Amino acid sequence: MIYRRLEEYFGDLHWWPAESDDEILIGSILTQNTSWKNVEKAIARLKQDNMMSLLAISGSKEDDISARIRSSGFYRQKASRIIRIAAAIVNRYGSIDSMRSLPTGDLVKFFSSLSGIGQETLDSILLYAFGRPVMVIDAYTRRIMSRLDYPAQFEDSDIRDAALHDLEHSVTDLKNYHACLVELGKNFCRKAPDCQNCPLRNECNYAMDFSSP
Ligand code: SF4
């Protein structure tokens, strides 16, 4: 199984790297359309100024947040988005903890109703902040899967169903699977792939068809 091979190679990557569920949710918005490196600076700044909580953010002005998250790009848009989402949670439920007993369907309904939360962000929140068994699919995942089974074409739903089936809905494995795919995408399965050194080279159609010996 692909995940076991990745786990063997990368180990437990302890993803999502956050000290609280508020930080996971805020980080999932900040990471939209930018690299994690840029997000880390924004997170550090919010923490340094004691603003890394939904409660603190929900009562903040856009300028107060945007000044602290500049490194994450689209900072005005993200500041207003984070404030709006934080306020929606605080006003309706009080905190993430108070939402824990909600069925997954209700969480999906609530977060999907907030603008600025697309499928990838929603799945990250469900998996990492609420511990629900979902597969997070990003551009790295799509590229890796399309190369592994090249020339087969996949819909996101095919990738999602296969992961849930293979990992038997294990939240721990689903968390690390996504983290491992991101690492693989960043370090090996880049636009120009480094198949010679990739831990999946022996089970990859693309490597067999295109990489030189
Ligand atoms: S072997 Fe090459 S194409 Fe296949 S997953 Fe690894 S880097 Fe990507």
Side-chain angles (χ1 to χ4, degrees):
M1 191 204 304
I2 295 300
Y3 172 60
R4 296 300 168 210
R5 183 79 200 90
L6 291 173
E7 185 190 31
E8 201 176 282
Y9 187 84
F10 290 112
D12 182 354
L13 292 169
H14 303 288
W15 194 260
W16 192 286
E19 290 171 0
S20 68
D21 294 327
D22 284 13
E23 188 179 327
I24 292 172
L25 194 135
I26 292 161
S28 74
I29 311 287
L30 291 176
T31 199
Q32 293 171 342
N33 303 309
T34 195
S35 70
W36 186 251
K37 215 173 177 180
N38 295 331
V39 174
E40 282 176 329
K41 290 181 202 154
I43 286 176
R45 184 71 202 278
L46 288 171
K47 279 185 179 172
Q48 180 191 317
D49 296 339
N50 291 319
M51 298 191 76
M52 182 47 86
S53 77
L54 296 179
L55 191 59
I57 287 179
S58 67
S60 298
K61 293 195 171 56
E62 189 181 308
D63 284 351
D64 293 335
I65 302 299
S66 63
R68 291 172 169 88
I69 65 167
R70 285 181 88 95
S71 67
S72 71
F74 305 99
Y75 54 94
R76 291 208 175 279
Q77 189 187 55
K78 286 182 182 176
S80 102
R81 189 170 287 172
I82 291 171
I83 293 170
R84 214 172 3 84
I85 292 168
I89 293 171
V90 169
N91 293 338
R92 178 146 178 201
Y93 296 104
S95 67
I96 286 188
D97 262 350
S98 311
M99 302 174 76
R100 282 208 188 285
S101 56
L102 292 177
T104 301
D106 288 359
L107 292 174
V108 171
K109 206 166 154 190
F110 173 72
F111 284 110
S112 302
S113 73
L114 306 173
S115 77
I117 295 194
Q119 190 65 50
E120 188 185 328
T121 305
L122 170 65
D123 288 341
S124 296
I125 292 169
L126 290 174
L127 178 62
Y128 292 104
F130 288 93
R132 305 301 163 99
V134 297
M135 174 70 185
V136 179
I137 297 173
D138 61 4
Y140 288 129
T141 310
R142 292 186 192 99
R143 180 157 73 206
I144 293 163
M145 294 305 164
S146 71
R147 286 172 170 173
L148 285 175
D149 277 330
Y150 178 85
Q153 299 288 322
F154 294 107
E155 298 293 330
D156 284 1
S157 56
D158 299 325
I159 300 172
R160 189 171 292 122
D161 292 348
L164 289 171
H165 175 268
D166 291 349
L167 302 185
E168 298 174 337
H169 292 242
S170 159
V171 169
T172 305
D173 287 345
L174 286 161
K175 284 180 176 177
N176 201 42
Y177 191 21
H178 173 60
C180 287
L181 288 169
V182 171
E183 278 308 296
L184 192 85
K186 283 198 301 199
N187 296 299
F188 300 102
C189 205
R190 300 182 293 256
K191 260 187 191 167
D194 176 10
C195 299
Q196 295 301 316
N197 297 304
C198 175
L200 298 183
R201 63 188 173 280
N202 292 329
E203 36 234 312
C204 177
N205 286 358
Y206 185 97
M208 283 181 230
D209 286 358
F210 297 109
S211 80
S212 15

